[in-house]
């Protein structure tokens, strides 16, 4: 189920995903409220831009302070405060500070909070005594994934906190090697095999001046109400040109033109 008027609270990739998904599921209005400005959103810039193209409204410098509901507990909206940016904080970003005293309301019938992730404690029956990190995730050996309880391993978001799929998969493979060591006493991952690939890449070759190619994307009116793939693949010719672009940061230091190719 998705509401008619949806508010998403947050500024990361999960918030953008939630907003774009709500639009695709039939919401007529979707707004993202974020307490800092757009330039300081941790979400990928291209994701934010595509969300705006799809008709999602971004309300920066807005701080939610109360969720308004009716007597049956159904959402009516969010009470907010206007913010402005102050001095820099420990994250290197300017701290949002209250601007003015009067709160204002934004109407909505569904509110999605995308302001962080935490571990689901109910998924650990019988292991409530597992050691936690200061961030309340599971403490695990970074090499083997073993926790403080022999035979119990952890990895991915549950031990490292929210991160990428790539890191989660790598964490799972490290834990698999740790489990193999625990069960057999054999160090190393027996399933790993070295592979050699033939390539004609010449690391000493001069870079080529091909510009960065943009992805082909579906127009907003053709994608905002379905889950079709938005970014289309390059042609073989374009992909080949992009593969030949300069990846040598040292080259620009010697010729002064590297920035054009980077």
């Amino acid at each position: 189920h998705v509401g008619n008027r949806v508010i998403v609270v947050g500024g990361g990739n999960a918030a953008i995903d939630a907003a774009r998904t709500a639009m695709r599921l039939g919401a007529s209005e979707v707004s993202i409220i974020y307490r800092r400005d757009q330039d300081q959103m941790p979400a990928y810039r291209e994701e934010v831009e595509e969300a705006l193209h799809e008709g999602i409204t971004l309300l920066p410098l807005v701080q939610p302070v109360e969720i308004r509901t009716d007597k049956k507990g159904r959402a009516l909206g969010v009470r907010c405060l206007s913010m402005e940016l102050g001095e820099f904080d420990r994250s290197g970003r300017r701290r949002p500070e209250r601007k003015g005293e009067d709160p204002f309301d934004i109407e909505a019938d569904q509110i999605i909070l995308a302001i962080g992730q935490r571990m689901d404690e109910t998924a650990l029956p019988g292991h409530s005594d597992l050691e936690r990190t200061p961030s309340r995730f599971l403490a695990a050996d970074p090499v083997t994934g073993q926790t403080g309880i022999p035979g119990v391993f952890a990895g991915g978001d549950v031990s490292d906190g929210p991160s990428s799929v790539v890191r989660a998969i790598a964490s799972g493979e490290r834990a698999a090697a740790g489990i193999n060591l625990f069960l057999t006493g054999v160090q190393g991952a027996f399933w790993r095999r070295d592979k050699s690939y033939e390539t004609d890449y010449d690391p000493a070759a001069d870079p080529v001046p091909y510009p960065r190619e943009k992805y082909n994307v579906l127009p907003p009116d053709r994608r905002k109400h379905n889950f079709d793939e938005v970014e289309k693949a390059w042609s073989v010719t374009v992909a080949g040109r992009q593969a030949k672009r300069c990846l040598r940061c040292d080259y620009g230091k010697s010729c002064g033109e590297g920035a054009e190719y980077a």
Side-chain angles (χ1 to χ4, degrees), residues 121-145:
E121 301 280 351
T122 63
L124 301 170
H127 292 298
S128 58
D129 54 341
L130 282 166
E131 183 182 354
R132 305 294 201 273
T133 66
S135 301
R136 297 299 300 162
F137 295 102
L138 294 185
D141 187 298
V143 176
T144 65

Side-chain angles (χ1 to χ4, degrees), residues 10 20-21 26 37 46 49 56 117 164 179 217 221 225 252 254:
R20 298 178 73 182
T21 300
D37 64 14
E46 59 268 25
E49 292 174 351
I56 292 167
Q117 298 179 43
S164 66
I179 293 170
V217 297
D221 59 339
H225 297 305
S254 60

Side-chain angles (χ1 to χ4, degrees), residues 6-211:
V6 178
I7 288 178
V8 180
V9 181
N13 288 316
I16 301 298
D17 286 346
R20 298 178 73 182
T21 300
M23 179 69 74
R24 283 161 171 73
L25 290 176
S28 61
E29 295 181 27
V30 182
S31 301
I32 298 173
I33 58 178
Y34 180 58
R35 62 179 183 157
R36 289 185 166 95
D37 64 14
Q38 181 176 340
D39 290 338
Q40 294 186 326
M41 294 179 72
Y44 298 144
R45 180 177 299 177
E46 59 268 25
E47 294 287 332
V48 177
E49 292 174 351
E50 294 302 333
L52 296 176
H53 290 328
E54 292 170 5
I56 292 167
T57 301
L58 175 62
L59 302 174
L61 295 172
V62 173
Q63 172 72 55
V65 294
E66 180 185 351
I67 295 177
R68 298 176 52 248
T69 61
D70 61 17
K71 294 181 180 180
K72 294 183 178 181
R74 293 176 298 195
L76 296 176
V78 180
R79 183 153 292 169
C80 304
L81 295 173
S82 294
M83 309 296 285
E84 61 184 354
L85 297 180
E87 299 299 320
F88 290 93
D89 60 17
R90 289 184 296 177
S91 71
R93 297 179 295 174
R94 294 177 63 187
R95 182 183 297 108
E97 298 176 349
R98 184 169 180 171
K99 177 183 179 181
E101 298 295 327
D102 297 332
F104 60 94
D105 294 337
I106 303 175
E107 295 183 359
D109 52 21
Q110 186 175 38
I111 300 157
I112 301 173
L113 300 181
I115 54 176
Q117 298 179 43
R118 62 186 178 189
M119 185 175 64
D120 181 6
E121 301 280 351
T122 63
L124 301 170
H127 292 298
S128 58
D129 54 341
L130 282 166
E131 183 182 354
R132 305 294 201 273
T133 66
S135 301
R136 297 299 300 162
F137 295 102
L138 294 185
D141 187 298
V143 176
T144 65
Q146 175 140 282
T147 67
I149 299 179
V152 178
F153 294 76
D157 291 5
V158 78
S159 62
D160 301 331
S163 186
S164 66
V165 172
V166 172
R167 288 192 63 184
I169 293 172
S171 179
E173 206 225 11
R174 285 195 299 272
I179 293 170
N180 182 61
L181 174 64
F182 177 78
L183 295 176
T184 68
V186 177
Q187 183 76 41
F190 63 86
W191 55 87
R192 292 176 181 162
R193 296 288 185 272
D194 290 334
K195 296 181 181 180
S196 60
Y197 296 94
E198 294 184 3
T199 176
D200 58 1
Y201 171 68
D202 181 4
D206 290 342
V208 293
Y210 298 138

